[in-house]
Amino acid sequence: MARDKVKRNVVELCSVPQGQAGRPSKALTFAQAEAVLKGAEGTSMYAYIVVALLTGARTEELRALTWDHVFLKGKPDADPPQPPHIAVWRSVRRGGDTKTGKSRRTLALPGRCVEALWQQFEDQGWDRLAAGDKWEEHGLVFSSAVGKPLDAANVRRAFRQALKGIDGINADEWTPRELRHSFVSLLSDRGVPLEVISRLVGHSGTAVTEEIYRKQIRPVIQTGAVVMDGIFGADPQRP
């Protein structure tokens, strides 16, 4: 050891606990995803589930998403015109930064997301009125009934409650992060190139995507919002 003042590293006397094996990740099939979207309608988690499943955003990114980064009408006057989109620029991580620099991205919204977020905006307005002086304004898209930020436990509990009673789904076996895994799996099944999937989920390169989502990636022979609209269909957008 340094300068011979300690003859033995006491850490070597400690045994390292084995810990518990991680739970294998999984993804919803298309049929299961459709069942989840239908079954979650009318719940407080509906918009969250739709956006997570159809954009692949991380749960910590959605919990930090604010309305000033949501553009439900797009920017039709921009050159070129921009479709409805969200700016995934923040997370609940320390300092508010996204996981990596490449994680900071702007994602076009499938029509189903646009519809769900319009409804979320309206529902939150009613929550604000009902809460009165108890409302805390943080500008969050997904918040508690009084406007407070959600933590991971809040989201997981509400997510599993929204899945209760859906045929073919055991709510206790699923977590919100697996909506992101499902996004990757659904795109890969439709032949979307790995490079495109990597950009959509905010990875620095395809190696990261392959490592994390190796069970969800299918062999690719042949972007996000367009493909998801093709899979699920787009609900009519509000004017």
Side-chain angles (χ1 to χ4, degrees), residues 164-206:
K164 293 286 186 184
I166 298 177
D167 288 342
I169 299 291
N170 183 339
D172 294 333
E173 293 181 351
W174 294 88
T175 64
R177 71 184 177 88
E178 283 162 334
L179 295 172
R180 180 171 162 89
H181 284 259
S182 302
F183 171 82
V184 171
S185 179
L186 289 165
L187 289 185
S188 184
D189 278 344
R190 289 298 176 104
V192 177
L194 184 57
E195 294 79 5
V196 175
I197 296 175
S198 296
R199 291 199 300 271
L200 290 170
V201 296
H203 287 162
S204 58
T206 58

Side-chain angles (χ1 to χ4, degrees), residues 8 24 28 32 37 43 48 63 76-77 79 106-107 114 119 128 140 146 148 169 184 187 213 217 227 230 235:
R8 188 174 184 182
L28 296 165
Q32 288 175 320
L37 291 174
T43 70
Y48 180 99
R63 283 159 49 207
D77 297 331
D79 186 20
T106 300
L107 300 173
V114 174
Q119 188 61 54
R128 188 181 288 106
L140 293 167
V146 292
K148 292 182 178 180
I169 299 291
V184 171
L187 289 185
Y213 299 106
I217 296 295
V227 173
D235 288 339

Side-chain angles (χ1 to χ4, degrees), residues 29 39 74 90 92 103 108 113 118 145 158 167 172 220 227:
T29 64
R90 302 185 185 117
V92 295
S103 293
C113 288
W118 274 122
D167 288 342
D172 294 333
V220 173
V227 173

Side-chain angles (χ1 to χ4, degrees), residues 4-15:
D4 290 329
K5 291 187 177 181
V6 178
K7 297 298 184 182
R8 188 174 184 182
N9 186 350
V10 294
V11 175
E12 294 177 352
L13 301 176
C14 301
S15 59

